[in-house]
Amino acid sequence: MSWFQRLFGHNRGVVIGMIHVQALPGTPHHSTSIAEIVKKACLEAKGYVEAGINALMLENMHDVPYVQPDQLGPEVTASMTAVSCAIRQMYPDLPIGVQVLSAANQQALAVAQAAGLNFIRAEGFVFSHVGDEGILNACAGELLRYRRQIGAEDVKVLTDIKKKHSSHAITSDVSLAETAKAAEFFLSDGVIVTGTSTGCPTSLKDVEDVRQAVGIPVLIGSGVSQANLAQSLTAANGCIVGSHFKLGGQWQNNVDFDRVRQFMEEVRKFQM
């Protein structure tokens, strides 16, 4: 049995629901206390679980505009840890992951290790690219050494390849499949394929190309909806869903748990 099936209970059809944590201290949209931020995230987690979600991922997406990892204040890491610990206490056995924007992968590992989370979503694992925040350099060597240093080997690292909201002109001679192979060679636990932006559908041909290129789990990281659910869950091991679960399909809005329930009813047909 693969680590993916041991963790998520299925080898196919896994759905990870996104909790977009409210804007954290020091960021432009921050407007409420840490206690209120934790409370809202916990309520979302409860709604997701009651709707039948397989796993959760926490992300500080409301912290726009994002900064480079070395400019990220310790208050963000501390706040994400507080939220993560609260949700982990509610659900000791639920698979939970975290992403800290932008490309703050070591910070995400530290949060996961402190809160007892199961995985992180990492940007810029192999090859460099240009994101909204500027140039992001490859981090696999440093990140996995840091994971070993803090004793977090049980925390899986799922890595975006040629990720959304980025320009990949400087690696245009390296295909998506070759990038996935490089991520596998550099010990990624799984790869994430996305569209060009948040909520934008992912090319199923891209997903298939990556699946044929690697032997590690492949997830779809953007644009999965009720309309393309069957094709998406057939093509990949799982998907990360944020925008589709929100009111009106807009990531900035609150979660629409009726949408989640309907979605998960369909998902159960594909899980194995």
Side-chain angles (χ1 to χ4, degrees), residues 7 88 93-97 112 116-120 154-157:
L7 176 60
R88 172 51 81 207
D93 301 319
L94 184 72
I96 304 174
L117 306 189
N118 307 100
F119 60 95
I120 70 166
D154 289 340
V155 178
K156 300 302 181 182
V157 177

Side-chain angles (χ1 to χ4, degrees), residues 18 45 116 141 188 198-199:
M18 290 296 306
S188 171
T198 296

